[in-house]
Amino acid sequence: MSRLRPALAAIERVILGKPGQVRLCLACLLAHGHLLIEDVPGVGKTTLAHVLARVLGLEWTRLQFTSDLLPADIVGISIFDRTTQKFQFRRGPVFTQLLLADEINRASPKAQSALLEAMEERQVSVEGVTYELPEPFFVVATQNPHEQLGTYRLPESQLDRFLMRVSLGYPDPASERRVLLQGERRDLLNETRTVLSPAEVLSLQIETRQIYVADKLLDYIQALVARTRAELSLGLSPRAAQGLLHAAQAWALIHEDNAVLPEHVQSVFAAVAAHRLEPRDGDGAASGSEFAGALIKAVPIPI
Amino acid sequence: MRSSPGPDSPEPGLDRAPARTVGLVLAALLGAVALNLHHTAVWCAPLALGVAVWRARTWRARPKLPGRVLRAVLVIVLTVAALLDFHSGGSLGAAASLLVVMAALKLSETSGRRDWLIVLSAALFLLLAACLDAQALWRLPLYVVELWLLCGGMYALGAGSEAPSAYALLISSGRSLAAALPLAVLLFLFFPRLPGAFWAVPQLGQTVTGLGDSLSPGSIEDLVASSDPALRVRFDGPLPPPSERYWRALVLHSFDGFTWRRERLALYDSPPLQFSGTAYHYEITLEPNQQNALIALDLPQSRPSATTLRSFWTFDYQLLTLLPLLRSVNYDLISYPQHRNVGALPPEQRRIDLQLPRAANPRSQQLAHQLRASSSSDAAYVTAVLDYLRRGGFQYTPQPPLLGRDSIDDLLFRTRQGFCEHYASAFAMLMRAGGVPARIVTGYLGGEWNRFGDYLLVRQSSAHAWTEVWLDGQGWVRVDPTAVIAPAALTQQLDGVAPVLGGAARLATASWILTTVQAWQAVNAWWQDRVVGFNFAHQLSLLDRLGLGSQQWRALAWLLGAGVSLWLALLAWAQRPRGAAQRADGLARSWRLLERKLERTVAVRAASEGPIAFAERVGRVRPELGPGLRSLARRYARLRYGPTAPASELLRFRRAVRLWRPRPRARTPGRPGA
């Protein structure tokens, strides 16, 4: 557990004034989930993904999503090799430990679904052959709010595959001033040391799953999920409930607790649930995060 | 003096215990020592105080003790010194001294919780010793406070390093004691009290003031200075007039010229009695007097009816018990101040009551012969002697000059100053010398009426001696020569009863001081009679009143069992889970208790607020509560949401919650949580 502290410190040196979001990102990774960062351009989405990869010692690739991106550009393509007279699979950028899928909502639904399938299965099937993705495998997708021009909104079924959605938002004035004074982020990134190794990340992921969960806490998670299903036409899925549990376990690990507490669930709930609970036709006007916040206040914790 | 804690400290936990724990334990010990001041050896209390002060200054450290040999020597020397006290302080005093010594020595080597518990146990035993030895009412509040301190100390030791404030400790222990009170009352009322009180410690060597079993010049004098109560009398019906309040104790027959003594082994038949006039029904509470004589209004009709008090008559109408009275006793009697003997005085009794040393007091004997020669009858002789005493210029004084070997000659012809015992002695001697059987009766005269308790209090200072002479045809007649010499002195002695009998005028002069004193005496009397003196006989009469008199032991057992069950049921009911916590388990109940403690003054937890978040919020508005509350919330969360913890963990948490209290904030009365 103490291994996480220097990692957090290293990330926070680069991402200023966002300790909560930094911890959520790390928790998402430890919970074996994929992360969606939703923000306007220029607030540090890419930097966050970059620094995460660097501090965790992961091999990483950046893939800029555009409207003309094809699935083969993501997973790879089979090419006929004249010398061997065989098709040979050339691995795409998805074969990495940390994939930064930049501006995922700019790509066509076809390209999006190719990535999301890989995310879920943690493997790629091309022409009947299945290729395992490396471990750990972690997608950090960034997305501009869909009001912007030229974007395709991710469908619900695909949003569900992201464990968390995190918004960085604008920095507070003090942090922004430091950003202005510190100059190039890229230089700072290059100075950042690697704190963990992929093997350590894997062992931390295993450790996360071993954090104790009491019956009372499962009651709580079930109560939260049931409440979403009662109030919305489409509530949280069982996968979301499981994700909530894992995220809470990761949060407990980061906060050096050996058991999940209601506070941990509450801390990750908005990040896990909000993007799955965005209003649809017939639902109220409240945004997903507003709804998630109100829900946390409405469901009593089991004493 | 301060040394660092030893590396091999067995239980380092208590070295980190809050100072208040140590303070409470030390206060409890010193309190217990103070309560035993009156019967422990003089050097015990300073020893305990010294060690306690030293320990209070160095409690964090493990003190450097003298070597093993020196320690052993110290123990032996102090133990022997304490036991040497056996003769002056009695067995209980010596035992208490020994306990003080042991507690002080243990205190000097306390390091772990176990040691402190031993010190506390010693204090508990000391409290018990004090209770056994002294049961006066004014000590009761002291005993209660001491018990309270002791319980607080136990709570503090139990809580270890998490001991809450002394205030919280005392509140908790006070509540525990209050909850135990009904049980104590039950056991007090219904636990079978074996007659003869096996727990009563014989009070060896202790001097109890009271009448002696012999009379010589000066023997009553000591009593006159003592205002200790001798007996209390509660009348059922009318009171006898003051002039009839002669309380008869012992009858003295044998005279050696100086001292009058009892006739120990005289198993004669008493001359038959005939009673007349008013009968007085009364109940006497007699203070322990080391004698085996019961005291009665002159003259009781029969022996006390109480079965627990074995008594017998002697030929001279003394009421004696088989064993000396070491505890106060209660008995009912009926007396007739008017009585006369029918028949003649048996010759052997006439012989012992005419016995006189021929060689002693020659001048008095001569005087007796002269007076008898000029008197026509025994009755006339009695009058003549009384006349002689009245006219002879005799003075009544509480501090008479010392008398020589021929005490009566000295009194009658030289000093002419004396006290009741002197004149009774002289009169009886003159009677015997004149051939009239006479004997000395000792007892008390008068008594003061307590209008709060409706009883007559007779003090040791009312001790009196008078005579009885045998006149043929009348039998034994009481003659009080002091009344002839100093009627004023006797009136004064009888004056104690005046407020009631003298009417409104005297009542008006009674100051509030008298009122207070009398009220206090009445409460004390009630305490002695009904609480300290509560015995098997009282239990039986209680059973009678409850209609269960026939099956004594079984009834006691049933009442005790039923009472204890009821008490337990009430306790369970008082602790029942309420409201939302109805189905909650013990852990949840504890947490709700913690919330209730904060609810009124500090903050209310929202239903969706986690325990730690709640503690953090309270810590922000009330920083002084933060650390304690955060630690409790953490422990709660660990127990509630963590892996299964040992049961002791839960118990410790529940105790910590019970003891924890938000101290009211002095500065701002706001309600930050609301």
Side-chain angles (χ1 to χ4, degrees):
Chain A
M1 281 182 262
S2 53
R3 282 170 292 167
L4 282 170
R5 260 190 227 171
L8 274 172
I11 297 170
E12 281 172 24
R13 269 188 66 233
V14 182
I15 310 294
L16 296 173
K18 301 284 176 196
Q21 283 89 332
V22 166
R23 278 171 174 74
L24 280 173
C25 295
L26 196 61
C28 185
L29 174 72
L30 293 178
H32 232 263
H34 303 291
L35 178 67
L36 179 63
I37 301 179
E38 186 177 86
D39 248 319
V40 291
V43 292
K45 297 189 293 281
T46 314
T47 314
L48 175 60
H50 197 158
V51 75
L52 267 177
R54 199 172 173 92
V55 167
L56 300 181
L58 301 178
E59 176 199 322
W60 79 294
T61 314
R62 178 183 167 164
L63 185 58
Q64 180 68 46
F65 277 43
T66 51
S67 53
D68 57 354
L69 191 77
L70 294 173
D73 296 333
I74 301 170
V75 297
I77 192 166
S78 291
I79 295 170
F80 187 76
D81 190 337
R82 285 186 184 278
T83 52
T84 55
Q85 296 289 313
K86 278 181 181 167
F87 280 99
Q88 193 169 9
F89 182 65
R90 184 167 292 173
R91 294 174 178 224
V94 78
F95 286 87
T96 185
Q97 287 172 321
L98 193 151
L99 176 69
L100 173 58
D102 231 351
E103 302 193 84
I104 189 172
N105 56 344
R106 287 193 182 281
S108 65
K110 203 175 171 186
Q112 285 175 359
S113 66
L115 172 69
L116 294 166
E117 199 183 326
M119 279 164 58
E120 184 61 26
E121 307 296 329
R122 293 176 187 274
Q123 61 186 25
V124 170
S125 298
V126 178
E127 288 161 16
V129 187
T130 301
Y131 302 93
E132 290 285 330
L133 293 176
E135 277 289 333
F137 176 65
F138 186 46
V139 174
V140 178
T142 72
Q143 163 174 265
N144 289 328
H146 60 263
E147 291 84 9
Q148 293 200 339
L149 282 173
T151 58
Y152 299 89
R153 182 180 163 172
L154 287 171
E156 282 84 18
S157 61
Q158 306 206 335
L159 272 176
D160 201 25
R161 300 198 171 151
F162 285 100
L163 177 61
M164 290 187 191
R165 182 183 69 180
V166 173
S167 284
L168 286 175
Y170 296 113
D172 58 278
S175 303
E176 189 158 26
R177 198 173 186 83
R178 281 174 65 198
V179 170
L180 292 173
L181 287 172
Q182 273 175 355
E184 273 298 309
R185 294 278 98 185
R186 193 167 304 281
D187 297 344
L188 209 56
L189 264 175
N190 289 335
E191 288 166 19
T192 304
R193 332 174 265 116
T194 296
V195 178
L196 296 173
S197 66
E200 278 176 315
V201 171
L202 275 175
S203 83
L204 281 169
Q205 284 179 337
I206 291 166
E207 225 174 286
T208 299
R209 296 291 163 95
Q210 287 165 350
I211 295 286
Y212 183 82
V213 182
D215 280 348
K216 290 266 184 193
L217 200 101
L218 290 177
D219 291 347
Y220 183 49
I221 288 180
Q222 283 192 302
L224 286 172
V225 171
R227 192 66 173 257
T228 65
R229 292 170 190 166
E231 301 214 351
L232 298 176
S233 52
L234 197 58
L236 290 178
S237 64
R239 174 162 50 196
Q242 198 181 32
L244 179 60
L245 176 60
H246 293 162
Q249 282 179 310
W251 194 261
L253 182 74
I254 290 173
H255 290 84
E256 305 185 3
D257 281 313
N258 62 352
V260 182
L261 305 182
E263 283 91 336
H264 300 146
V265 177
Q266 292 177 353
S267 299
V268 298
F269 183 73
V272 173
H275 62 286
R276 295 169 160 106
L277 301 174
E278 288 298 348
R280 287 169 199 88
D281 301 336
D283 290 335
S287 74
S289 39
E290 282 165 353
F291 180 78
L295 194 75
I296 282 297
K297 287 216 187 320
V299 177
I301 65 157
I303 280 298
Chain B
M1 287 297 273
R2 189 172 284 257
S3 60
S4 60
D8 57 340
S9 186
E11 270 179 276
L14 202 84
D15 291 346
R16 287 197 299 275
R20 51 186 170 274
T21 301
V22 176
L24 215 49
V25 175
L26 289 181
L29 176 66
L30 288 181
V33 171
L35 286 176
N36 284 283
L37 264 181
H38 64 285
H39 64 158
T40 48
V42 257
W43 49 268
C44 279
L47 173 78
L49 183 66
V51 177
V53 167
W54 168 63
R55 206 65 189 94
R57 293 167 62 94
T58 62
W59 62 275
R60 273 179 205 283
R62 206 177 141 92
K64 283 220 176 357
L65 275 179
R68 187 170 297 205
V69 177
L70 193 54
R71 249 190 298 173
V73 169
L74 211 58
V75 168
I76 290 169
V77 166
L78 288 176
T79 304
V80 168
L83 289 178
L84 279 181
D85 197 44
F86 192 84
H87 291 293
S88 58
S91 58
L92 195 58
S97 301
L98 196 59
L99 262 176
V100 173
V101 167
M102 290 309 170
L105 289 177
K106 188 71 205 167
L107 189 61
S108 73
E109 59 167 17
T110 43
S111 59
R113 192 170 97 178
R114 191 173 152 273
D115 295 330
W116 287 101
L117 268 177
I118 289 176
V119 171
L120 216 51
S121 311
L124 206 53
F125 270 101
L126 277 171
L127 175 60
L128 206 59
C131 287
L132 267 180
D133 189 63
Q135 298 130 355
L137 179 60
W138 63 269
R139 297 179 71 101
L140 180 66
L142 300 181
Y143 289 155
V144 171
V145 167
E146 171 63 18
L147 192 61
W148 195 8
L149 279 179
L150 277 166
C151 282
M154 279 184 197
Y155 262 94
L157 284 180
S161 58
E162 295 146 355
S165 69
Y167 168 77
L169 283 169
L170 287 178
I171 291 278
S172 302
S173 57
R175 286 175 67 162
S176 299
L177 285 178
L181 193 62
L183 184 65
V185 171
L186 264 171
L187 290 173
F188 175 82
L189 288 178
F190 299 124
F191 189 82
R193 284 158 190 266
L194 299 178
F198 60 89
W199 57 83
V201 177
Q203 319 245 310
L204 292 175
Q206 189 171 349
T207 51
V208 172
T209 53
L211 292 169
D213 63 350
S214 65
L215 185 79
S216 51
S219 59
I220 282 186
E221 218 174 293
D222 301 333
L223 285 182
V224 173
S226 161
S227 61
D228 289 346
L231 59 145
R232 287 190 305 278
V233 195
R234 216 176 282 276
F235 285 93
D236 182 15
L239 270 69
S243 60
E244 293 293 353
R245 291 175 190 168
Y246 277 86
W247 304 100
R248 207 167 188 274
L250 298 171
V251 182
L252 313 177
H253 299 271
S254 94
F255 183 53
D256 62 1
F258 191 81
T259 304
W260 293 84
R261 288 198 174 77
R262 292 164 73 180
E263 201 65 41
R264 289 262 177 201
L265 291 166
L267 298 170
Y268 309 123
D269 289 330
S270 44
L273 273 169
Q274 206 174 55
F275 295 103
S276 58
T278 324
Y280 296 100
H281 297 249
Y282 56 94
E283 180 198 355
I284 285 190
T285 306
L286 184 60
E287 294 297 319
N289 57 11
Q290 305 269 25
Q291 296 294 332
N292 57 351
L294 297 180
I295 291 173
L297 184 68
D298 196 13
L299 198 56
Q301 179 201 30
S302 58
R303 289 189 291 123
S305 53
T307 48
T308 49
L309 190 68
R310 294 278 170 78
S311 60
F312 58 92
W313 276 114
T314 60
F315 72 99
D316 43 11
Y317 317 123
Q318 301 180 74
L319 267 178
L320 299 184
T321 54
L322 291 172
L323 297 169
L325 297 171
L326 299 175
R327 313 175 61 82
S328 70
V329 290
N330 265 56
Y331 48 92
D332 294 305
L333 286 174
I334 303 169
S335 281
Y336 291 87
Q338 289 179 39
H339 52 266
R340 50 177 292 166
N341 292 97
V342 285
L345 187 65
E348 67 278 3
Q349 293 181 36
R350 174 176 287 272
R351 189 176 45 76
I352 61 168
D353 284 332
L354 282 174
Q355 166 270 336
L356 205 59
R358 292 294 154 200
N361 301 307
R363 291 182 68 189
S364 306
Q365 292 194 38
Q366 204 183 345
L367 172 72
H369 294 314
Q370 281 171 14
L371 289 174
R372 183 67 189 89
S374 55
S375 305
S376 54
S377 66
D378 284 358
Y381 174 60
V382 169
T383 319
V385 172
L386 287 177
D387 272 352
Y388 175 83
L389 290 177
R390 187 181 296 125
R391 301 211 185 104
F394 291 98
Q395 278 179 9
Y396 180 89
T397 166
Q399 283 103 24
L402 288 176
L403 299 176
R405 185 63 223 159
D406 289 329
S407 59
I408 294 176
D409 277 6
D410 256 18
L411 173 74
L412 291 181
F413 303 107
R414 188 171 65 84
T415 68
R416 288 168 196 267
Q417 285 179 28
F419 196 54
C420 61
E421 59 197 11
H422 301 91
Y423 295 118
S425 173
F427 183 79
M429 182 264 156
L430 288 174
M431 283 298 116
R432 286 186 178 187
V436 181
R439 59 197 190 189
I440 301 258
V441 183
T442 62
Y444 299 90
L445 175 63
E448 49 190 281
W449 181 252
N450 188 307
R451 61 195 166 98
F452 295 97
D454 280 341
Y455 62 82
L456 198 66
L457 172 68
V458 181
R459 297 177 181 281
Q460 295 292 0
S461 55
S462 303
H464 193 54
W466 60 93
T467 61
E468 286 176 349
V469 296
W470 178 274
L471 298 177
D472 289 328
Q474 292 184 53
W476 288 109
V477 176
R478 182 178 67 222
V479 179
D480 188 351
T482 318
V484 172
I485 290 161
L490 276 201
T491 322
Q492 221 170 32
Q493 214 160 22
L494 296 168
D495 235 15
V497 292
V500 158
L501 303 151
R506 280 192 189 272
L507 267 179
T509 61
S511 66
W512 63 271
I513 296 179
L514 181 67
T515 313
T516 318
V517 167
Q518 285 210 339
W520 174 241
Q521 283 171 353
V523 175
N524 261 298
W526 176 87
W527 170 256
Q528 283 298 333
D529 289 352
R530 306 288 146 186
V531 182
V532 176
F534 190 80
N535 55 23
F536 193 55
H538 285 99
Q539 279 185 316
L540 293 185
S541 75
L542 181 65
L543 288 182
D544 260 343
R545 260 179 285 162
L546 294 174
L548 297 164
S550 56
Q551 297 183 320
Q552 303 166 354
W553 294 99
R554 190 175 295 183
L556 281 180
W558 273 109
L559 280 172
L560 195 59
V564 171
S565 309
L566 185 68
W567 176 72
L568 285 174
L570 281 177
L571 268 193
W573 184 77
Q575 306 242 306
R576 75 194 184 284
R578 294 184 188 88
Q582 199 84 50
R583 286 173 306 276
D585 51 333
L587 179 60
R589 278 207 301 278
S590 271
W591 175 256
R592 299 244 185 251
L593 173 65
L594 186 64
E595 287 184 355
R596 275 205 298 281
K597 286 178 178 186
L598 290 161
E599 244 163 41
R600 220 158 2 115
T601 53
V602 185
V604 179
R605 186 185 67 87
S608 63
E609 200 173 14
I612 292 171
F614 175 58
E616 294 290 342
R617 178 161 69 86
V618 172
R620 279 193 295 277
V621 282
R622 295 281 299 273
E624 76 279 8
L625 296 181
L629 192 59
R630 261 196 291 274
S631 135
L632 283 177
R634 287 232 145 256
R635 286 166 72 179
Y636 167 72
R638 232 186 0 250
L639 285 165
R640 173 88 301 167
Y641 305 109
T644 311
S648 61
E649 193 75 18
L650 174 63
L651 289 178
R652 285 183 49 202
F653 170 74
R654 300 193 62 178
R655 186 169 49 204
V657 169
R658 273 202 303 280
L659 293 174
W660 190 81
R661 252 166 200 81
R663 247 175 302 182
R665 181 157 58 172
R667 287 178 291 118
T668 48
R671 297 183 56 184

